Structures are given as structure tokens and as C-alpha cells.
Amino acid sequence: MANCFGRNVSDTQRYYVNKLESDEKSWAWQLNRIGTLAVFVIGFCGNILCLLVLCRRRLRRNSYTQYLIALAVVDTGAILAEVISALDDLHQNEYNINLIVHTNISCKLYYYVRFIFYSMSSWIIVALAMERLVAIKFPLWSKNICTVVNARRIILMILIFTMIIQSYHFVTKGLDCSPSPLSISSSTNSCRCKTIRHGNFSKFDVNFTVYAWRLVLMTLFPLTIIITVNVLIMTKLFNEGSLLDHTNTSCNAQRKMKLVYKISRMLVIVTTVYLILHVPGSSLDVIKSIYIPVLRICNPRWQYYLHINHEIFDLLTNFNYGINFYLYIISGKHIRNELVRAFKHSSLRSKSSGRNGKNHRSSYYMSSYVHGSRYQPARYSNTPLSRRPTASSM
């Protein structure tokens, strides 16, 4: 940025240059970090409720719930990584000291696991959209394709593929203990977990992260697949004769087909919201990375707007990791019913446990009384009535 703004600039441009080079964080930076903390609280509660509902026996037997369970797990991991980064940034901005002290190994593992969560969240959404397409367009094939075993196999394949793709972080990430250019003095040179700057590691990390991963694997491929699949699903759902094809089937089959259509509509909403919240942030991240190095544009005003919008879109991307369960509740009636059943079951179980305790005590006393009354006459069966103890003597 210093090379870009080394020439003479106007007073208006100097205003934005000072904002970009100032140590004071912008309002968008503060909004992103504080908003991430709020999203973590909301999203963590939502993902825990999602696991409690989807892991019930009624829903666990469906193939699509396997993707939703895996999505809740990786989204929880992603938002946890984001909140750790936000807390570290806020602590470092306030006290000029890192909140989390990394070692070289923990730094590499942190980035490796973090990017695995990001990648798996995107590709589980893609697999979920394709699974719904098969269930809607090919209902006869879906009995053999859309199974719980196949869903778990696909999730495992996504995990293995993501682990291989993100392994470059073990090479490019590490501790940088050089003095920070924003520090007041060179004495505050705490080590930071970031991309290694020496050699070709920095260039390789930017090219692979921005172009190969962010642009291709996280934006172009998911965007193309999800839009195409959603269009095909919606044309089937809104086709007037789609339900008429099953009028000759039994009532149970019609009920199941209507449920499949409702589930597909819910998941179309989930994948569409994912595109709305995720694609702008990824696209702006790519634009920001190529704005100066590739396009050689040195307009400080537009660079300032890029930084501000990047912080806002980054918060929207984080919001995507905690909103899925609330989308299930809003758009899926069967998920709402299952949530109500879960709470009713827990309340009934607590009441029944209290009743069982009382019944257990009363049955214990009753059984002891019956047991005593049953065997007590036998003790005095051979004794004359005059010698038997009376109630007053006992």
C-alpha cells in the first residue's frame, strides 16, 4: 500500500489514505468482531438444538438428515474458529498482546482445521442439493441412491478430499516473530500466527487460497452446481402435474411424496440463503486480493470502500454458519413438529420420573405390608387364639 500511495494525492484521496493507514480500527471492523460474538451465541444454541432434533430416531433414519447433522457439526466448528479469531483481534487491539499464544505446530493445525470446516460446510451444501435433486427427479432410483449409508460415505469422501486439499497450510503457515509495522515500538514483537513471508510461501499461499480455493472451489463450482440443481428442483416442485402422477398410488405413498416435496422446498431455501450470504463475501475477497497486485488500481477511496464492505460481507458469511437451524424451523413444518415432540418428551419424562419415584415408594410400602400380612398369620397358625399377641400388646 505504501508503494501505491507514494505519489502525490489530492486532499480527498489523502483523507482515505489516512483512514487506510491509521492504527485506529474502522467501525466496520468493530461491527464484524462484535457481531461475530453475537452470531456465535445464536449459532451455537441453534446448532446444538439442531443436533438434538435431528439425532432423534424418527429423523435419523433419513438420508438428508445425515447431511444436516454433519453441516451442524462443521458450522459449529467454523463459527468457533471465527469467534476465537475475533476475540484474539479485539484483545490484540486493546492490549497489543495476543490472546492465544501459538506454537509452530498449533498454528499450522489451527489454520488446517479451520479451513477444513469452511470447505466442508460448502461442499456438504452442494451434496445436499444434489441428493434432493435425485430424490425429486428420480424417485425410483432414490430408494437405492439416497440412503443413510451412501450419505455417510459421501460425507467421508468430502472430509478426505478436504483434508488433502488443505494440507498446504502445514507448509505455508507458521509463526512470524518480526516486529509489526503497526506497533509503536519494536519491543512489542509478539509472534503472530500467519503466512510465512520468506521464500515463495507467501506467493503460493495467496495464489492457492485466493484463486484455487476461494474462487474456484468455494465460489464458482458451488455457485454453478447449486443454482443449476435448485432450478431443476423448483421446476419440478412448481409443475402442476408433478403431484398428479401419483394419484393412482396409495394414500401412504402420496403422503410420503408430499413430505419429500416439502423437505426439498426447505432445503432449496437453505441452499439459496447460503449463496446469498456466502458468495458476495468470497467474491469481494477475490476482488480485494487482485485489486492492487493484478489490476494496479491505486484509488484510495475505492480501496477504503473495499475494506469496509469486506468486513460487512465477512460478518454475513459468519452469520451463515449459525442460521441454518432457524431456517429449518421457519421453512420445515416437520422439523417444528419434531422440536415440539422433543420438548414434550423431555417434560413428560421428567414428570413420569417423579411419578415413578412416588409409585415406587408406595408400591414398596404396599408390598412390604402385603408381604408382612401374608406371612404373619403363619407364625401363629399353631398357637391358640388366647396366646396370640393383640394390637394393644404390640
Side-chain angles (χ1 to χ4, degrees):
M1 189 179 297
N3 294 332
C4 191
F5 299 146
R7 54 190 177 82
N8 294 328
V9 294
S10 63
D11 294 337
T12 304
Q13 291 178 340
R14 174 59 59 186
Y15 171 77
Y16 291 105
V17 170
N18 293 334
K19 279 187 169 295
L20 288 171
E21 295 180 348
S22 175
D23 293 342
E24 184 179 357
K25 301 300 181 181
S26 63
W27 61 268
W29 187 91
Q30 300 284 348
L31 178 65
N32 186 11
R33 270 62 184 181
I34 297 175
T36 300
L37 300 180
V39 169
F40 171 75
V41 176
I42 298 172
F44 184 79
C45 296
N47 289 332
I48 294 300
L49 286 175
C50 181
L51 292 175
L52 292 177
V53 172
L54 295 178
C55 290
R56 290 171 61 84
R57 186 176 299 178
R58 292 169 59 90
L59 294 177
R60 200 174 54 212
R61 294 172 294 182
N62 300 319
S63 60
Y64 75 95
T65 56
Q66 306 301 315
Y67 296 105
L68 297 183
I69 291 171
L71 185 62
V73 173
V74 297
D75 281 353
T76 303
I79 195 63
L80 181 61
E82 287 294 330
V83 79
I84 291 174
S85 177
L87 288 173
D88 192 34
D89 290 341
L90 290 171
H91 191 272
Q92 188 174 6
N93 182 57
E94 184 69 23
Y95 302 104
N96 202 20
I97 300 174
N98 291 330
L99 178 64
I100 301 174
V101 180
H102 283 286
T103 62
N104 196 33
I105 298 298
S106 67
C107 175
K108 296 176 184 293
L109 285 174
Y110 170 71
Y111 273 97
Y112 179 64
V113 175
R114 181 179 179 180
F115 277 75
I116 284 177
F117 286 140
Y118 298 154
S119 299
M120 286 197 66
S121 179
S122 298
W123 283 99
I124 287 174
I125 292 284
V126 173
L128 183 61
M130 297 183 68
E131 195 261 357
R132 283 297 92 191
L133 178 63
V134 174
I136 287 293
K137 298 288 286 186
F138 310 102
L140 296 179
W141 294 1
S142 64
K143 296 179 181 179
N144 297 323
I145 297 176
C146 302
T147 61
V148 173
V149 176
N150 287 338
R152 291 175 179 174
R153 289 173 180 171
I154 292 174
I155 294 171
L156 181 60
M157 290 172 60
I158 293 174
L159 175 61
I160 295 174
F161 173 75
T162 305
M163 290 175 66
I164 295 173
I165 289 296
Q166 300 299 332
S167 60
Y168 73 97
H169 289 289
F170 286 109
V171 179
T172 60
K173 296 297 187 296
L175 293 180
D176 183 11
C177 298
S178 60
S180 175
L182 298 177
S183 61
I184 299 175
S185 62
S186 59
S187 60
T188 58
N189 55 349
S190 59
C191 296
R192 298 174 300 278
C193 181
K194 56 187 294 186
T195 303
I196 300 174
R197 289 190 295 181
H198 63 272
N200 295 323
F201 292 143
S202 179
K203 184 178 180 180
F204 174 79
D205 183 80
V206 170
N207 290 332
F208 195 87
T209 302
V210 174
Y211 300 111
W213 180 71
R214 178 73 75 179
L215 179 61
V216 178
L217 294 178
M218 294 288 288
T219 304
L220 293 181
F221 277 1
L223 180 68
T224 304
I225 295 173
I226 291 176
I227 289 179
T228 304
V229 168
N230 282 353
V231 168
L232 294 175
I233 292 176
M234 295 305 292
T235 54
K236 181 68 175 178
L237 292 179
F238 286 101
N239 186 10
E240 295 180 356
S242 59
L243 290 177
L244 298 178
D245 298 336
H246 305 280
T247 54
N248 296 327
T249 58
S250 61
C251 295
N252 190 22
Q254 290 185 25
R255 195 180 302 111
K256 288 182 179 179
M257 185 55 62
K258 290 180 179 179
L259 180 60
V260 169
Y261 279 32
K262 291 179 181 178
I263 293 171
S264 300
R265 279 197 295 266
M266 178 191 74
L267 298 180
V268 165
I269 293 174
V270 172
T271 54
T272 304
V273 171
Y274 165 79
L275 292 180
I276 294 173
L277 296 179
H278 182 79
V279 171
S282 296
S283 303
L284 192 65
D285 194 17
V286 175
I287 293 173
K288 181 183 174 183
S289 300
I290 67 176
Y291 192 77
I292 296 177
V294 178
L295 300 180
R296 303 293 179 183
I297 299 175
C298 292
N299 190 332
R301 181 178 181 179
W302 285 107
Q303 287 193 32
Y304 175 74
Y305 288 154
L306 278 177
H307 281 278
I308 294 297
N309 290 325
H310 179 264
E311 297 289 348
I312 296 174
F313 286 150
D314 188 49
L315 179 59
L316 292 179
T317 303
N318 296 337
F319 190 64
N320 176 72
Y321 296 126
I323 198 177
N324 286 331
F325 178 70
Y326 304 102
L327 293 177
Y328 306 154
I329 296 298
I330 294 172
S331 58
K333 184 178 180 181
H334 67 291
I335 300 292
R336 293 196 299 270
N337 294 335
E338 201 64 33
L339 180 63
V340 172
R341 288 194 191 98
F343 281 104
K344 283 185 177 180
H345 180 71
S346 60
S347 62
L348 289 175
R349 186 169 55 185
S350 61
K351 290 180 180 179
S352 63
S353 63
R355 277 188 207 142
N356 288 336
K358 294 180 180 179
N359 293 335
H360 178 72
R361 288 192 298 269
S362 61
S363 62
Y364 172 76
Y365 293 132
M366 182 62 70
S367 62
S368 62
Y369 172 76
V370 172
H371 179 79
S373 62
R374 181 182 299 174
Y375 293 100
Q376 187 175 357
R379 295 171 56 189
Y380 306 102
S381 58
N382 298 323
T383 305
L385 292 175
S386 59
R387 296 185 182 180
R388 292 184 186 180
T390 60
S392 60
S393 62
M394 293 178 65

mmCIF file of all heavy atoms in Angstrom, residues 288-316:
data_model
loop_
_atom_site.group_PDB
_atom_site.id
_atom_site.type_symbol
_atom_site.label_atom_id
_atom_site.label_comp_id
_atom_site.label_asym_id
_atom_site.label_seq_id
_atom_site.Cartn_x
_atom_site.Cartn_y
_atom_site.Cartn_z
ATOM 1 N N LYS A 288 -10.675 -8.021 -3.764
ATOM 2 C CA LYS A 288 -9.742 -7.283 -2.919
ATOM 3 C C LYS A 288 -8.314 -7.773 -3.100
ATOM 4 O O LYS A 288 -7.357 -6.977 -3.052
ATOM 5 C CB LYS A 288 -10.173 -7.432 -1.460
ATOM 6 C CG LYS A 288 -9.302 -6.701 -0.468
ATOM 7 C CD LYS A 288 -9.750 -6.964 0.960
ATOM 8 C CE LYS A 288 -8.798 -6.350 1.965
ATOM 9 N NZ LYS A 288 -9.197 -6.666 3.357
ATOM 10 N N SER A 289 -8.147 -9.062 -3.339
ATOM 11 C CA SER A 289 -6.796 -9.630 -3.472
ATOM 12 C C SER A 289 -6.155 -9.287 -4.806
ATOM 13 O O SER A 289 -4.921 -9.218 -4.897
ATOM 14 C CB SER A 289 -6.851 -11.147 -3.296
ATOM 15 O OG SER A 289 -7.361 -11.484 -2.025
ATOM 16 N N ILE A 290 -6.959 -9.071 -5.853
ATOM 17 C CA ILE A 290 -6.404 -8.781 -7.180
ATOM 18 C C ILE A 290 -6.501 -7.299 -7.529
ATOM 19 O O ILE A 290 -6.087 -6.896 -8.612
ATOM 20 C CB ILE A 290 -7.108 -9.611 -8.272
ATOM 21 C CG1 ILE A 290 -8.575 -9.178 -8.425
ATOM 22 C CG2 ILE A 290 -7.003 -11.088 -7.979
ATOM 23 C CD1 ILE A 290 -9.304 -9.890 -9.553
ATOM 24 N N TYR A 291 -7.047 -6.484 -6.613
ATOM 25 C CA TYR A 291 -7.296 -5.078 -6.934
ATOM 26 C C TYR A 291 -5.991 -4.322 -7.204
ATOM 27 O O TYR A 291 -5.854 -3.638 -8.214
ATOM 28 C CB TYR A 291 -8.053 -4.420 -5.779
ATOM 29 C CG TYR A 291 -8.626 -3.053 -6.097
ATOM 30 C CD1 TYR A 291 -9.786 -2.929 -6.849
ATOM 31 C CD2 TYR A 291 -7.998 -1.893 -5.635
ATOM 32 C CE1 TYR A 291 -10.314 -1.688 -7.130
ATOM 33 C CE2 TYR A 291 -8.527 -0.648 -5.906
ATOM 34 C CZ TYR A 291 -9.683 -0.547 -6.661
ATOM 35 O OH TYR A 291 -10.205 0.683 -6.947
ATOM 36 N N ILE A 292 -5.021 -4.453 -6.297
ATOM 37 C CA ILE A 292 -3.754 -3.748 -6.468
ATOM 38 C C ILE A 292 -2.705 -4.606 -7.168
ATOM 39 O O ILE A 292 -2.093 -4.164 -8.147
ATOM 40 C CB ILE A 292 -3.230 -3.249 -5.105
ATOM 41 C CG1 ILE A 292 -4.190 -2.213 -4.526
ATOM 42 C CG2 ILE A 292 -1.848 -2.639 -5.249
ATOM 43 C CD1 ILE A 292 -3.792 -1.731 -3.151
ATOM 44 N N PRO A 293 -2.442 -5.865 -6.724
ATOM 45 C CA PRO A 293 -1.357 -6.635 -7.348
ATOM 46 C C PRO A 293 -1.580 -6.923 -8.826
ATOM 47 O O PRO A 293 -0.614 -6.947 -9.596
ATOM 48 C CB PRO A 293 -1.326 -7.930 -6.521
ATOM 49 C CG PRO A 293 -1.997 -7.590 -5.236
ATOM 50 C CD PRO A 293 -3.034 -6.583 -5.583
ATOM 51 N N VAL A 294 -2.824 -7.163 -9.254
ATOM 52 C CA VAL A 294 -3.082 -7.565 -10.637
ATOM 53 C C VAL A 294 -3.578 -6.390 -11.474
ATOM 54 O O VAL A 294 -3.040 -6.093 -12.546
ATOM 55 C CB VAL A 294 -4.095 -8.734 -10.674
ATOM 56 C CG1 VAL A 294 -4.389 -9.124 -12.117
ATOM 57 C CG2 VAL A 294 -3.561 -9.925 -9.897
ATOM 58 N N LEU A 295 -4.628 -5.705 -10.997
ATOM 59 C CA LEU A 295 -5.217 -4.616 -11.772
ATOM 60 C C LEU A 295 -4.441 -3.306 -11.651
ATOM 61 O O LEU A 295 -4.658 -2.389 -12.469
ATOM 62 C CB LEU A 295 -6.668 -4.399 -11.331
ATOM 63 C CG LEU A 295 -7.601 -5.602 -11.494
ATOM 64 C CD1 LEU A 295 -9.006 -5.255 -11.009
ATOM 65 C CD2 LEU A 295 -7.645 -6.073 -12.945
ATOM 66 N N ARG A 296 -3.566 -3.179 -10.657
ATOM 67 C CA ARG A 296 -2.737 -1.984 -10.445
ATOM 68 C C ARG A 296 -3.594 -0.722 -10.293
ATOM 69 O O ARG A 296 -3.282 0.333 -10.837
ATOM 70 C CB ARG A 296 -1.762 -1.794 -11.616
ATOM 71 C CG ARG A 296 -0.837 -2.967 -11.878
ATOM 72 C CD ARG A 296 0.147 -3.144 -10.741
ATOM 73 N NE ARG A 296 1.042 -4.277 -10.965
ATOM 74 C CZ ARG A 296 1.952 -4.673 -10.102
ATOM 75 N NH1 ARG A 296 2.100 -4.037 -8.951
ATOM 76 N NH2 ARG A 296 2.718 -5.710 -10.370
ATOM 77 N N ILE A 297 -4.687 -0.830 -9.556
ATOM 78 C CA ILE A 297 -5.568 0.318 -9.309
ATOM 79 C C ILE A 297 -5.210 0.907 -7.953
ATOM 80 O O ILE A 297 -5.254 0.212 -6.941
ATOM 81 C CB ILE A 297 -7.046 -0.107 -9.356
ATOM 82 C CG1 ILE A 297 -7.386 -0.677 -10.739
ATOM 83 C CG2 ILE A 297 -7.959 1.069 -9.043
ATOM 84 C CD1 ILE A 297 -8.787 -1.218 -10.843
ATOM 85 N N CYS A 298 -4.866 2.186 -7.932
ATOM 86 C CA CYS A 298 -4.421 2.838 -6.709
ATOM 87 C C CYS A 298 -5.379 3.954 -6.299
ATOM 88 O O CYS A 298 -4.943 5.048 -5.932
ATOM 89 C CB CYS A 298 -3.010 3.405 -6.885
ATOM 90 S SG CYS A 298 -1.736 2.141 -7.057
ATOM 91 N N ASN A 299 -6.644 3.686 -6.354
ATOM 92 C CA ASN A 299 -7.638 4.663 -5.911
ATOM 93 C C ASN A 299 -7.920 4.425 -4.431
ATOM 94 O O ASN A 299 -8.552 3.427 -4.064
ATOM 95 C CB ASN A 299 -8.921 4.514 -6.728
ATOM 96 C CG ASN A 299 -9.904 5.649 -6.489
ATOM 97 O OD1 ASN A 299 -9.926 6.253 -5.424
ATOM 98 N ND2 ASN A 299 -10.712 5.945 -7.493
ATOM 99 N N PRO A 300 -7.463 5.300 -3.528
ATOM 100 C CA PRO A 300 -7.630 5.041 -2.097
ATOM 101 C C PRO A 300 -9.088 5.030 -1.660
ATOM 102 O O PRO A 300 -9.438 4.349 -0.697
ATOM 103 C CB PRO A 300 -6.857 6.184 -1.433
ATOM 104 C CG PRO A 300 -6.780 7.250 -2.462
ATOM 105 C CD PRO A 300 -6.744 6.555 -3.782
ATOM 106 N N ARG A 301 -9.934 5.788 -2.345
ATOM 107 C CA ARG A 301 -11.345 5.817 -1.966
ATOM 108 C C ARG A 301 -11.986 4.457 -2.186
ATOM 109 O O ARG A 301 -12.688 3.935 -1.313
ATOM 110 C CB ARG A 301 -12.060 6.887 -2.777
ATOM 111 C CG ARG A 301 -13.545 7.031 -2.450
ATOM 112 C CD ARG A 301 -14.159 8.148 -3.262
ATOM 113 N NE ARG A 301 -15.573 8.304 -2.942
ATOM 114 C CZ ARG A 301 -16.351 9.231 -3.504
ATOM 115 N NH1 ARG A 301 -15.835 10.072 -4.398
ATOM 116 N NH2 ARG A 301 -17.627 9.303 -3.168
ATOM 117 N N TRP A 302 -11.736 3.874 -3.362
ATOM 118 C CA TRP A 302 -12.315 2.556 -3.643
ATOM 119 C C TRP A 302 -11.684 1.482 -2.773
ATOM 120 O O TRP A 302 -12.359 0.518 -2.402
ATOM 121 C CB TRP A 302 -12.137 2.219 -5.115
ATOM 122 C CG TRP A 302 -13.072 2.981 -6.000
ATOM 123 C CD1 TRP A 302 -12.773 4.017 -6.827
ATOM 124 C CD2 TRP A 302 -14.488 2.769 -6.112
ATOM 125 N NE1 TRP A 302 -13.901 4.469 -7.468
ATOM 126 C CE2 TRP A 302 -14.968 3.725 -7.048
ATOM 127 C CE3 TRP A 302 -15.387 1.889 -5.531
ATOM 128 C CZ2 TRP A 302 -16.309 3.807 -7.405
ATOM 129 C CZ3 TRP A 302 -16.722 1.962 -5.883
ATOM 130 C CH2 TRP A 302 -17.174 2.917 -6.811
ATOM 131 N N GLN A 303 -10.412 1.631 -2.441
ATOM 132 C CA GLN A 303 -9.789 0.658 -1.541
ATOM 133 C C GLN A 303 -10.411 0.720 -0.150
ATOM 134 O O GLN A 303 -10.616 -0.309 0.494
ATOM 135 C CB GLN A 303 -8.279 0.923 -1.453
ATOM 136 C CG GLN A 303 -7.520 0.519 -2.703
ATOM 137 C CD GLN A 303 -6.032 0.506 -2.461
ATOM 138 O OE1 GLN A 303 -5.578 0.220 -1.359
ATOM 139 N NE2 GLN A 303 -5.258 0.825 -3.481
ATOM 140 N N TYR A 304 -10.715 1.918 0.309
ATOM 141 C CA TYR A 304 -11.364 2.060 1.617
ATOM 142 C C TYR A 304 -12.749 1.416 1.597
ATOM 143 O O TYR A 304 -13.136 0.713 2.549
ATOM 144 C CB TYR A 304 -11.455 3.539 1.974
ATOM 145 C CG TYR A 304 -12.208 3.806 3.254
ATOM 146 C CD1 TYR A 304 -11.630 3.518 4.493
ATOM 147 C CD2 TYR A 304 -13.500 4.333 3.229
ATOM 148 C CE1 TYR A 304 -12.315 3.755 5.673
ATOM 149 C CE2 TYR A 304 -14.191 4.576 4.393
ATOM 150 C CZ TYR A 304 -13.612 4.283 5.616
ATOM 151 O OH TYR A 304 -14.289 4.508 6.784
ATOM 152 N N TYR A 305 -13.504 1.648 0.535
ATOM 153 C CA TYR A 305 -14.825 1.024 0.427
ATOM 154 C C TYR A 305 -14.724 -0.494 0.347
ATOM 155 O O TYR A 305 -15.580 -1.210 0.877
ATOM 156 C CB TYR A 305 -15.561 1.572 -0.795
ATOM 157 C CG TYR A 305 -16.036 2.993 -0.642
ATOM 158 C CD1 TYR A 305 -16.224 3.813 -1.745
ATOM 159 C CD2 TYR A 305 -16.282 3.532 0.621
ATOM 160 C CE1 TYR A 305 -16.656 5.121 -1.611
ATOM 161 C CE2 TYR A 305 -16.704 4.839 0.771
ATOM 162 C CZ TYR A 305 -16.888 5.631 -0.353
ATOM 163 O OH TYR A 305 -17.318 6.928 -0.198
ATOM 164 N N LEU A 306 -13.698 -0.995 -0.302
ATOM 165 C CA LEU A 306 -13.493 -2.444 -0.362
ATOM 166 C C LEU A 306 -13.240 -3.014 1.028
ATOM 167 O O LEU A 306 -13.790 -4.072 1.382
ATOM 168 C CB LEU A 306 -12.319 -2.775 -1.290
ATOM 169 C CG LEU A 306 -12.595 -2.829 -2.791
ATOM 170 C CD1 LEU A 306 -11.309 -3.097 -3.547
ATOM 171 C CD2 LEU A 306 -13.625 -3.896 -3.117
ATOM 172 N N HIS A 307 -12.437 -2.329 1.822
ATOM 173 C CA HIS A 307 -12.155 -2.797 3.181
ATOM 174 C C HIS A 307 -13.420 -2.779 4.038
ATOM 175 O O HIS A 307 -13.679 -3.720 4.803
ATOM 176 C CB HIS A 307 -11.065 -1.927 3.821
ATOM 177 C CG HIS A 307 -9.681 -2.266 3.386
ATOM 178 N ND1 HIS A 307 -8.949 -3.304 3.931
ATOM 179 C CD2 HIS A 307 -8.879 -1.720 2.441
ATOM 180 C CE1 HIS A 307 -7.765 -3.373 3.366
ATOM 181 N NE2 HIS A 307 -7.699 -2.426 2.448
ATOM 182 N N ILE A 308 -14.207 -1.725 3.922
ATOM 183 C CA ILE A 308 -15.432 -1.629 4.711
ATOM 184 C C ILE A 308 -16.420 -2.726 4.305
ATOM 185 O O ILE A 308 -16.984 -3.437 5.161
ATOM 186 C CB ILE A 308 -16.071 -0.239 4.541
ATOM 187 C CG1 ILE A 308 -15.165 0.847 5.134
ATOM 188 C CG2 ILE A 308 -17.446 -0.186 5.193
ATOM 189 C CD1 ILE A 308 -14.946 0.727 6.625
ATOM 190 N N ASN A 309 -16.641 -2.884 3.016
ATOM 191 C CA ASN A 309 -17.585 -3.898 2.544
ATOM 192 C C ASN A 309 -17.096 -5.309 2.830
ATOM 193 O O ASN A 309 -17.908 -6.212 3.062
ATOM 194 C CB ASN A 309 -17.838 -3.728 1.036
ATOM 195 C CG ASN A 309 -18.634 -2.476 0.724
ATOM 196 O OD1 ASN A 309 -19.510 -2.082 1.484
ATOM 197 N ND2 ASN A 309 -18.316 -1.823 -0.387
ATOM 198 N N HIS A 310 -15.780 -5.496 2.816
ATOM 199 C CA HIS A 310 -15.248 -6.823 3.124
ATOM 200 C C HIS A 310 -15.558 -7.210 4.559
ATOM 201 O O HIS A 310 -15.902 -8.368 4.845
ATOM 202 C CB HIS A 310 -13.740 -6.839 2.881
ATOM 203 C CG HIS A 310 -13.104 -8.151 3.201
ATOM 204 N ND1 HIS A 310 -12.504 -8.419 4.410
ATOM 205 C CD2 HIS A 310 -13.015 -9.298 2.481
ATOM 206 C CE1 HIS A 310 -12.054 -9.658 4.421
ATOM 207 N NE2 HIS A 310 -12.337 -10.214 3.265
ATOM 208 N N GLU A 311 -15.463 -6.270 5.486
ATOM 209 C CA GLU A 311 -15.795 -6.561 6.880
ATOM 210 C C GLU A 311 -17.280 -6.900 7.030
ATOM 211 O O GLU A 311 -17.642 -7.817 7.775
ATOM 212 C CB GLU A 311 -15.430 -5.361 7.771
ATOM 213 C CG GLU A 311 -13.963 -5.005 7.809
ATOM 214 C CD GLU A 311 -13.125 -6.025 8.557
ATOM 215 O OE1 GLU A 311 -13.714 -6.904 9.241
ATOM 216 O OE2 GLU A 311 -11.891 -5.961 8.465
ATOM 217 N N ILE A 312 -18.138 -6.177 6.330
ATOM 218 C CA ILE A 312 -19.586 -6.428 6.425
ATOM 219 C C ILE A 312 -19.934 -7.774 5.816
ATOM 220 O O ILE A 312 -20.690 -8.566 6.405
ATOM 221 C CB ILE A 312 -20.358 -5.290 5.736
ATOM 222 C CG1 ILE A 312 -20.119 -3.968 6.470
ATOM 223 C CG2 ILE A 312 -21.847 -5.599 5.685
ATOM 224 C CD1 ILE A 312 -20.711 -2.761 5.781
ATOM 225 N N PHE A 313 -19.400 -8.076 4.648
ATOM 226 C CA PHE A 313 -19.683 -9.358 3.999
ATOM 227 C C PHE A 313 -19.084 -10.532 4.768
ATOM 228 O O PHE A 313 -19.627 -11.637 4.742
ATOM 229 C CB PHE A 313 -19.165 -9.351 2.555
ATOM 230 C CG PHE A 313 -20.001 -8.523 1.621
ATOM 231 C CD1 PHE A 313 -19.444 -7.901 0.524
ATOM 232 C CD2 PHE A 313 -21.357 -8.363 1.847
ATOM 233 C CE1 PHE A 313 -20.211 -7.141 -0.335
ATOM 234 C CE2 PHE A 313 -22.140 -7.597 1.002
ATOM 235 C CZ PHE A 313 -21.564 -6.985 -0.093
ATOM 236 N N ASP A 314 -17.969 -10.284 5.433
ATOM 237 C CA ASP A 314 -17.380 -11.333 6.266
ATOM 238 C C ASP A 314 -18.302 -11.671 7.435
ATOM 239 O O ASP A 314 -18.443 -12.827 7.817
ATOM 240 C CB ASP A 314 -16.016 -10.883 6.776
ATOM 241 C CG ASP A 314 -15.273 -12.001 7.476
ATOM 242 O OD1 ASP A 314 -15.188 -13.106 6.914
ATOM 243 O OD2 ASP A 314 -14.792 -11.787 8.605
ATOM 244 N N LEU A 315 -18.949 -10.659 8.001
ATOM 245 C CA LEU A 315 -19.929 -10.905 9.059
ATOM 246 C C LEU A 315 -21.135 -11.666 8.534
ATOM 247 O O LEU A 315 -21.666 -12.554 9.216
ATOM 248 C CB LEU A 315 -20.369 -9.577 9.670
ATOM 249 C CG LEU A 315 -21.425 -9.645 10.777
ATOM 250 C CD1 LEU A 315 -20.938 -10.489 11.949
ATOM 251 C CD2 LEU A 315 -21.813 -8.248 11.242
ATOM 252 N N LEU A 316 -21.578 -11.353 7.315
ATOM 253 C CA LEU A 316 -22.691 -12.106 6.718
ATOM 254 C C LEU A 316 -22.313 -13.562 6.487
ATOM 255 O O LEU A 316 -23.138 -14.458 6.675
ATOM 256 C CB LEU A 316 -23.103 -11.452 5.394
ATOM 257 C CG LEU A 316 -23.764 -10.071 5.489
ATOM 258 C CD1 LEU A 316 -24.078 -9.547 4.094
ATOM 259 C CD2 LEU A 316 -25.034 -10.149 6.322
#
